[in-house]
Amino acid sequence: MSGALDPTVVNLVVFVLAVFVGYHVIWNVTPALHTPLMSVTNAISSVIIVGAILAAGPSEIDFGSALGAVAVGLASVNVAGGFLVTKRMLEMFKKKAPKAETKAEKK
Amino acid sequence: MSANLVALWYLAASVCFILALKGLSSPESARRGNAFGIAGMTIAVVTTLAIVAKGRLDLIIVAMLIGGTIGALVARRVEMTQMPELVAAMHSLVGMAAALIAVAVVNNPGAFGEHDPLPRGNRLELFIGSFVGAITFSGSVIAFGKLAGLGKKFRLFSSAPVVFRGQHALNLALAIVMIGFGTAFFLSGDKGWMPFIVMLGIAFVLGVLIIIPIGGADMPVVISMLNSYSGWAAAGIGFSLNNTMLIIAGSLVGSSGAILSYIMCKAMNRSFFSVIMGGFGAAEGAAADSSQKTVKSGSAEDAAFLLSNAESVVIVPGYGLAVARAQHAVKEMAQKLIAKGVNVRYAIHPVAGRMPGHMNVLLAEAEVPYDQVFEMEDINGELGTVDVALVLGANDVVNPLAHEKGSPIYGMPIIEANKARTVLVNKRSMAAGYAGLDNPLFYMDKTMMVFGDAKKVVEDMVKALE
């Protein structure tokens, strides 16, 4: 063995392990929450915004940083929209039990 | 900030994303999970902003504010029936962002801490990330159009499959040419603009061509598939930027979408390959041959009488229920029945809505308590002991032909409403479902059909129950 580790190999290691984690975590998601799962994964894949921020980062504005800024905007729509709509949906799945109890007490 | 510190913060964000998905294993923990997701995203964004702190922060913040405001407004206003469209639109944004970032990387690798011109090792991944991103974008735009019902204005968005001769040969040829240009980009010594842009252009066209032949009935699979693509695109960009957090987040999303596609295919008894090849659902709405057989039909009042005398009722909602916006009326009816001492449960088929889990959200919106809502496999065993199965706007998912060898839907998992002592079916007409098949359930002796719009019929039932 000789030479430095190629970053691509490190990336591949991370990638394969992450797919395994994803596989096991996702099979545990209850089918009732598959729609919120899609909206939250949408928000999570928008973490691509970090790439967009780096692209928009350089102090002189050129073609590349302009594209980066547009990408930041697009990804931000998803970040905000994805998490908020997921939150809105999950609120609906709140147990209505406390309300029912108060009704029962009145009776 | 040192590179090590950045990597550690990114690690924290990655762990948060995993916890966000883990939380979705039950409705109780799901909201905490979402909070983890938000925390992870905040860490990721703030850390990255710190890296570029000396650059054009103003530009970035303005872009974030504009995008964030639009996203927040949409999230607040969107109707739950429109969730599939929203999700498709959001996939397209991820895809577009990936493609734009890829172009920016080719333009100025230095901004990402890479050598200029980009080293070969990163080019392959950039190629993969950008073409998957481009396909995700244009494919999702078509899926959005199909879901939003824009087919009347633009034929490309038609919910019926758009098919033409030599379609698959054309797609294959384009894919090969695209890979050819990708390879040229990989091998070129300079920036490789020409092959990169041509490759990206072909990918955009391919995205359109891949999705147009897929019919409306297969939309749950398509959305899941595009969900998966958007994840792989993010992972690909992560590879080319050597950013492990992006790789982890992308892989999580990619495998999530892949698993959902698998679940949807299985629920529709379709192979993934046949969905991709498209053309299914062309016979949409074709009337089934029912001239020889007679059905028993009754009024909403008759149905209400049967329901109120039952001990246990299972409601099988289909997408027709959501189209008629009858969820609230159904919930009201269920409450009336529960007040009379009837045991009411809901049975949900995995493809009851237009996307995975859609029907659960629609019922939750109508404030149906989720402990009354059961998945198909959890309730099928008990349907034999149920007095009344009430099928509302569902057809193929309760078709007993699925148990008969030789039928086109043989093997498809169904909700076994036919096992209940009495079956009530509400439909607008005798038209066949997406599969274009007649449904023997409607002709059984114990079945009573209640024709009419789901909302009107259920409201009449509520009145009759009073």
Side-chain angles (χ1 to χ4, degrees):
Chain A
M1 291 234 303
S2 64
L5 198 54
D6 191 317
T8 308
V9 176
V10 179
N11 291 344
L12 196 64
V13 170
V14 172
F15 174 73
V16 172
L17 292 179
V19 169
F20 266 98
V21 172
Y23 181 86
H24 288 284
V25 170
I26 302 299
W27 274 114
N28 270 329
V29 172
T30 169
L33 295 178
H34 275 165
T35 296
L37 170 67
M38 292 200 101
S39 58
V40 84
T41 49
N42 232 312
I44 289 176
S45 60
S46 315
V47 75
I48 202 164
I49 194 173
V50 302
I53 293 174
L54 293 177
S59 39
E60 326 153 31
I61 295 182
D62 68 345
F63 171 63
S65 65
L67 288 186
V70 174
V72 169
L74 296 181
S76 307
V77 175
N78 262 11
V79 170
F83 282 121
L84 288 175
V85 87
T86 307
K87 186 165 184 282
R88 206 180 125 197
M89 273 191 274
L90 293 176
E91 295 291 333
M92 295 173 185
F93 280 93
K94 257 187 191 165
K95 254 213 162 94
K96 301 291 183 303
K99 239 188 215 170
E101 272 166 24
T102 48
K103 264 183 201 165
E105 277 164 22
K106 274 176 198 167
K107 277 176 194 171
Chain B
M1 213 186 293
S2 79
N4 286 334
L5 198 55
V6 169
L8 289 176
W9 278 118
Y10 280 171
L11 173 66
S14 308
V15 171
C16 284
F17 293 146
I18 295 172
L19 290 174
L21 298 179
K22 200 169 181 302
L24 288 168
S25 57
S26 88
E28 286 90 12
S29 57
R31 268 167 296 134
R32 198 179 57 220
N34 199 41
F36 270 120
I38 296 172
M41 187 60 69
T42 311
I43 294 172
V45 169
V46 171
T47 307
T48 315
L49 285 177
I51 300 175
V52 296
K54 286 175 193 146
R56 295 299 308 255
L57 268 187
D58 51 347
L59 190 70
I60 296 167
I61 303 282
V62 168
M64 280 171 67
L65 283 179
I66 296 173
T69 312
I70 296 173
L73 284 177
V74 172
R76 185 171 298 176
R77 293 202 181 149
V78 68
E79 301 258 354
M80 287 301 131
T81 43
Q82 294 170 327
M83 277 311 294
E85 287 102 299
L86 177 72
V87 168
M90 298 208 307
H91 290 151
S92 76
L93 295 183
V94 176
M96 193 63 192
L100 290 177
I101 294 166
V103 176
V105 174
V106 176
N107 178 63
N108 181 12
F112 301 88
E114 306 271 10
H115 297 287
D116 191 1
L118 199 63
R120 287 242 165 96
N122 296 74
R123 287 194 179 209
L124 181 64
E125 299 116 336
L126 192 70
F127 159 55
I128 296 172
S130 55
F131 94 72
V132 176
I135 288 179
T136 308
F137 169 72
S138 53
S140 299
V141 169
I142 298 293
F144 171 81
K146 282 181 185 254
L147 287 163
L150 300 178
K152 280 173 200 133
K153 287 179 196 150
F154 307 98
R155 209 173 105 66
L156 270 186
F157 293 147
S158 164
S159 71
V162 179
V163 282
F164 52 86
R165 277 176 73 95
Q167 193 163 25
H168 300 311
L170 175 68
N171 289 354
L172 186 66
L174 277 177
I176 291 170
V177 174
M178 183 186 75
I179 292 171
F181 277 100
T183 314
F185 167 67
F186 177 63
L187 295 175
S188 76
D190 56 359
K191 279 186 192 281
W193 270 123
M194 197 281 289
F196 181 76
I197 294 298
V198 175
M199 181 272 293
L200 206 56
I202 297 176
F204 278 118
V205 175
L206 256 184
V208 174
L209 290 175
I210 287 174
I211 305 299
I212 51 170
I214 303 180
D218 282 336
M219 272 303 148
V221 182
V222 172
I223 304 183
S224 316
M225 192 177 84
L226 290 167
N227 186 232
S228 181
Y229 287 2
S230 69
W232 302 130
I237 297 296
F239 263 96
S240 47
L241 301 182
N242 292 327
N243 184 323
T244 47
M245 173 185 65
L246 213 44
I247 296 175
I248 293 172
S251 314
L252 291 174
V253 177
S255 39
S256 163
I259 290 173
L260 288 176
S261 312
Y262 171 80
I263 294 175
M264 289 297 108
C265 280
K266 224 174 154 207
M268 295 198 297
N269 198 32
R270 312 252 291 120
S271 78
F272 190 67
F273 189 69
S274 70
V275 171
I276 302 298
M277 295 304 269
F280 190 72
E284 211 174 294
D289 176 31
S290 54
S291 50
Q292 299 301 313
K293 294 173 271 185
T294 50
V295 295
K296 239 188 326 184
S297 79
S299 67
E301 287 75 23
D302 301 336
F305 178 76
L306 282 170
L307 287 171
S308 57
N309 285 320
E311 265 179 39
S312 56
V313 170
V314 167
I315 300 174
V316 186
Y319 193 65
L321 177 91
V323 171
R325 296 178 182 275
Q327 306 95 295
H328 287 90
V330 170
K331 185 232 172 188
E332 207 183 323
M333 181 188 73
Q335 272 185 330
K336 288 239 152 54
L337 290 173
I338 291 167
K340 287 179 193 282
V342 183
N343 174 13
V344 179
R345 285 169 294 178
Y346 297 80
I348 309 282
H349 192 276
V351 289
R354 282 194 303 171
M355 67 186 288
H358 196 192
M359 188 53 69
N360 299 81
V361 172
L362 294 172
L363 290 179
E365 189 191 17
E367 301 190 343
V368 172
Y370 62 81
D371 45 11
Q372 290 174 12
V373 181
F374 292 84
E375 301 303 323
M376 174 176 68
E377 54 262 39
D378 297 334
I379 201 165
N380 256 349
E382 293 179 44
L383 271 163
T385 64
V386 165
D387 292 325
V388 180
L390 173 60
V391 180
L392 294 167
N395 188 350
D396 293 335
V397 299
V398 290
N399 194 335
L401 277 183
H403 291 319
E404 275 173 39
K405 276 204 178 114
S407 99
I409 56 167
Y410 174 67
M412 174 173 154
I414 58 160
I415 294 177
E416 290 162 347
N418 52 317
K419 288 195 175 157
R421 295 199 182 94
T422 308
V423 185
L424 295 171
V425 180
N426 164 248
K427 260 170 102 357
R428 273 173 307 174
S429 67
M430 285 303 288
Y434 272 129
L437 286 176
D438 204 2
N439 191 338
L441 177 72
F442 304 157
Y443 308 104
M444 292 168 80
D445 285 337
K446 62 186 179 186
T447 303
M448 185 175 91
M449 304 292 291
V450 187
F451 292 108
D453 172 73
K455 190 173 181 190
K456 176 89 180 35
V457 167
V458 175
E459 279 171 354
D460 287 348
M461 287 185 193
V462 173
K463 269 183 216 145
L465 283 172
E466 274 166 1

